[in-house]
Amino acid sequence: MVQVHGDLDMATSPELQASLQHQIDAGERQIVVDLAGVGFMDSSALGALVIGFKAVRDLGGRLRLAAPQRVVRNVLSITTVDQAIGVFDSVEAAEADVSPAGGTAGG
């Protein structure tokens, strides 16, 4: 799991992308990004999430987003990123979805 806190913007998006890549390089194929501590997200952060999503998907894995605050959820919805990457109300729900026995419904 990748936990994120603070603003996700041009200054912090490279760190997010590096964290996702580190998880992938370490062999993780089921990644949950905990967004509960994020109060702002810009397009560079969306790009980092999409890059991570595609990288893990290309290896047969899945990336899910968990517990976004309302403003972040709105950004994901407006940009339709939530149609490609599953968004869940809690980390537990996202983890259940990425587990081998998990379903495909969003939270």
Side-chain angles (χ1 to χ4, degrees):
M1 178 171 55
V2 176
Q3 289 185 306
V4 188
H5 301 281
D7 293 346
L8 283 176
D9 54 24
M10 276 182 53
T12 58
S13 292
E15 185 178 344
L16 171 61
Q17 189 170 343
S19 293
L20 292 172
Q21 190 60 52
H22 177 76
Q23 294 285 312
I24 294 166
D25 292 346
E28 292 293 329
R29 296 297 177 260
Q30 307 300 325
I31 301 172
V32 173
V33 180
D34 181 355
L35 297 173
V38 176
F40 172 82
M41 177 184 291
D42 73 5
S43 61
S44 62
L46 292 170
L49 290 171
V50 170
I51 288 168
F53 167 78
K54 288 181 178 180
V56 76
R57 180 196 63 194
D58 290 349
L59 295 170
R62 296 170 70 185
L63 182 136
R64 295 292 182 250
L65 307 177
Q69 296 181 29
R70 182 178 307 268
V71 66
V72 172
R73 188 178 278 271
N74 287 343
V75 170
L76 295 168
S77 177
I78 289 167
T79 59
T80 68
V81 168
D82 63 347
Q83 293 182 21
I85 304 174
V87 181
F88 297 82
D89 291 336
S90 68
V91 169
E92 294 78 15
E95 287 176 339
D97 185 71
V98 298
S99 69
T104 57

